[in-house]
Amino acid sequence: MSPDPVPVRCHVVTGKGGTGKTTVAAALALALAADGGQVLLVETEGRQGIAQLFDTPPLPYEERRVAVARGGGEVKALAIDVEEALLEYLEMFYNLRRAGRALRRMGAVDFATTIAPGLRDVLLTGKIKEAVTRRSDGRPVYDAVVVDAPPTGRITRFLNVTGEVAGLAGSGPIKTQSDSVMAVFRSPQTAVHVVTLLEDMPVQETADAIAELSAVGLPLGSVIVNMATEPVLPEEALTRAVEGRLTGAELAPALAAAHVHDGTALADALAAEAVEHARRWAAQDELRDEVEALGRPTVELPLLPGPIDLGAIFELAGRLEDHVRARVAA
């Protein structure tokens, strides 16, 4: 997210399943569109998660506006369809769009992408690269492209298309396409952001993904800690609870003063819950240290009450705007 000499324009968002990466990708798109930006949000997995978040009909294989950001910026969204991407590819390189439609009717498209999974990723990433590099009147059409990418377990294989197509083609259009994609993905134009939770497995997968991405030369962005919670006890009480020094006997007088019936049993239950909360918070703090040790810029997003709707996405976008501005200033 540095402005010079080349700004980051391709933001790839990944994370372990269940960390909320689609929600974070949507919020990041809104944050980048603030103050008049033009942003494309791309879905790659065919789940129509973006359409659900923005409460729109299922996205077709075309770019549609889904939100207006603060300051008049726009977020458009695109769900990449592999078959349509293949038809576009055949037309671009071979002028064979009609033949491609015939292949689709025969089921040949599914067959081809099943026996050659690397081809599917070439088609998906090729469309992303086209959106990033598209220009009109000498200027980029989009200020940023945000990709709701596959989860951490598959992200390196998805982005490292040169390695994936090595067994498919050593030369020709497929090789040319993959090389052009990698020229963008390995450049300062791209940053791969990893979404995590303060839980053991997501943090471990985040560390593994960062190591794998670094090993193949893909540029890393930020670690985004999602659904972070705040402690409900003051620091001194947290410390005492973690050490097991908070008891029901200490809470009972306050409950009695509030005229709570059966206060003794309730005080013991409240004390046990406070100890559990404090120990959970201490464990999260240890994981927070592990995230910081990864050496990447980090931002935390809060756990919001209720379902994730458009208002929640705008709230998260506001948190990410501050992080984006700080990274640009850095």
Side-chain angles (χ1 to χ4, degrees):
M1 299 181 186
S2 58
D4 295 312
V6 180
V8 173
R9 296 183 51 253
C10 180
H11 297 265
V12 180
V13 180
T14 185
K16 186 183 184 300
T19 58
K21 70 177 178 63
T22 299
T23 299
V24 170
L28 179 59
L30 280 171
L32 292 166
D35 298 323
Q38 296 294 311
V39 177
L40 178 64
L41 177 58
V42 179
E43 182 173 283
T44 62
E45 296 184 279
R47 294 183 294 106
Q48 291 293 339
I50 291 171
Q52 294 174 33
L53 285 174
F54 287 98
D55 194 22
T56 67
L59 296 171
Y61 187 61
E62 62 182 46
E63 293 150 28
R64 288 190 176 179
R65 188 175 74 177
V66 292
V68 177
R70 182 185 59 76
E74 289 188 336
V75 175
K76 292 184 178 180
L78 168 69
I80 301 181
D81 179 88
V82 176
E83 289 187 349
E84 290 294 337
L86 179 56
L87 295 180
E88 195 171 73
Y89 173 85
L90 291 173
E91 182 177 33
M92 183 182 302
F93 288 103
Y94 298 103
N95 196 26
L96 288 176
R97 191 172 185 88
R98 285 186 180 178
R101 289 196 182 98
L103 288 172
R104 179 167 59 179
R105 286 195 297 270
M106 296 165 51
V109 172
D110 286 339
F111 178 73
T113 55
T114 298
I115 64 171
L119 177 60
R120 181 183 186 278
D121 289 346
V122 170
L123 295 169
L124 294 173
T125 56
K127 184 62 180 177
I128 295 166
K129 174 258 180 185
E130 184 276 327
V132 172
T133 58
R134 192 189 310 163
R135 305 181 79 84
S136 177
D137 297 327
R139 295 177 55 82
V141 171
Y142 292 109
D143 299 300
V145 174
V146 178
V147 183
D148 178 20
T152 45
R154 210 173 77 78
I155 188 62
T156 302
R157 189 170 71 233
F158 175 75
L159 294 175
N160 191 31
V161 292
T162 299
E164 287 300 299
V165 303
L168 295 176
S171 61
I174 293 179
K175 180 65 162 58
T176 301
Q177 172 89 328
S178 65
D179 287 346
S180 67
V181 167
M182 292 312 301
V184 171
F185 283 175
R186 285 204 172 107
S187 77
Q189 292 184 79
T190 297
V192 184
H193 310 293
V194 186
V195 181
T196 189
L197 304 178
L198 291 176
E199 298 174 3
D200 290 326
M201 286 299 295
V203 169
Q204 184 58 57
E205 285 205 20
T206 296
D208 293 343
I210 287 174
E212 292 173 4
L213 291 163
S214 298
V216 296
L218 289 162
L220 295 165
S222 300
V223 174
I224 302 172
V225 177
N226 196 22
M227 294 184 268
T229 57
E230 295 292 331
V232 297
L233 296 173
E235 185 174 349
E236 181 182 351
L238 279 173
T239 301
R240 293 178 60 233
V242 168
E243 295 171 352
R245 294 188 290 113
L246 182 64
T247 65
E250 295 177 72
L251 302 179
L255 293 174
H259 304 289
V260 175
H261 297 293
D262 198 18
T264 301
L266 182 58
D268 290 338
L270 286 173
E273 189 164 333
V275 169
E276 181 183 352
H277 166 74
R279 287 175 176 168
R280 186 166 59 246
W281 176 256
Q284 286 187 353
D285 253 3
E286 291 180 9
L287 290 169
R288 191 174 275 112
D289 291 340
E290 291 184 28
V291 170
E292 290 180 4
L294 296 173
R296 303 306 311 162
T298 303
V299 59
E300 290 193 9
L301 298 178
L303 174 65
L304 299 178
I308 297 297
D309 55 13
L310 192 55
I313 298 172
F314 270 96
E315 183 173 344
L316 297 175
R319 303 290 186 109
L320 286 171
E321 275 187 52
D322 295 337
H323 181 69
V324 168
R325 282 194 290 268
R327 293 302 305 145
V328 170

